Amino acid sequence: MDQHTLQLLNDVNRAIIKFRGIYSAWSAQHNISYHEMLVFYTIREKGFCTQKQICDSYILPRQTMNNVITTLRRNGILEISAEHSAGREKAFVLTPKGVDYAQPLMNSMNTVENRAVELLGSEKLEALTALMLEYDQALNRALEESR
């Protein structure tokens, strides 16, 4: 591999790690774990979450998310949603206590993300997203071809 390509790959990987690190730092500022933030983030997006959704979306071990969801349920933040559950896959929604707990967190996240989009611009964000998804597909294809 030539030096320029190696440098580009290293830069992309560092950028992704830093990107995730910013969300981790935000979580720490709000006294929640990164994994708890992912639960609230998924609920913000879909209105509910399943352990499988989060694990598949963020490539996390099931046991990790099981522990997070169990703790949030024990603390009265999440409850099972019969409406969104399917077979053995349980879906979770916020309890009324969970809404009171998570709403200020998600409002803060919305403020930060909206400001970031203002600074970057939605067109650049759309291009970045499209390119990252395209790179993801290329990387997955290359991995499959190497087997």
Side-chain angles (χ1 to χ4, degrees):
M1 175 179 311
D2 68 78
Q3 277 303 114
H4 179 69
T5 301
L6 182 60
Q7 185 63 47
L8 287 173
L9 291 171
N10 287 336
D11 289 347
V12 166
N13 283 316
R14 272 193 294 278
I16 291 167
I17 290 165
K18 286 180 181 180
F19 182 84
R20 292 183 74 171
I22 292 167
Y23 280 94
S24 184
W26 178 90
S27 298
Q29 286 178 353
H30 290 82
N31 299 313
I32 63 172
S33 74
Y34 177 77
H35 297 113
E36 287 173 307
M37 183 271 302
L38 293 177
V39 169
F40 300 135
Y41 208 85
T42 303
I43 291 173
R44 179 184 76 170
E45 177 187 3
K46 300 188 179 295
F48 67 95
C49 72
T50 69
Q51 182 178 318
K52 183 178 182 341
Q53 277 175 331
I54 297 169
C55 292
D56 289 352
S57 293
Y58 301 102
I59 311 172
L60 295 170
R62 289 190 184 276
Q63 189 60 42
T64 299
M65 288 317 302
N66 183 54
N67 292 339
V68 170
I69 288 171
T70 298
T71 299
L72 290 171
R73 288 183 66 200
R74 192 175 332 126
N75 292 335
I77 305 296
L78 292 180
E79 64 187 358
I80 294 175
S81 167
E83 174 187 351
H84 299 293
S85 296
R88 292 177 44 191
E89 188 173 357
K90 295 177 190 161
F92 301 94
V93 294
L94 295 169
T95 64
K97 176 183 175 182
V99 170
D100 290 342
Y101 178 76
Q103 194 62 54
L105 296 171
M106 290 298 92
N107 288 344
S108 171
M109 176 66 71
N110 290 342
T111 299
V112 170
E113 290 178 329
N114 282 330
R115 179 63 180 137
V117 173
E118 286 174 9
L119 292 168
L120 181 66
S122 60
E123 286 181 11
K124 284 184 179 178
L125 185 59
E126 288 173 15
L128 175 65
T129 302
L131 288 170
M132 290 301 294
L133 291 171
E134 192 175 332
Y135 181 63
D136 176 59
Q137 290 174 346
L139 200 55
N140 272 319
R141 182 174 174 184
L143 179 63
E144 289 172 10
E145 289 173 0
S146 72
R147 292 182 185 168

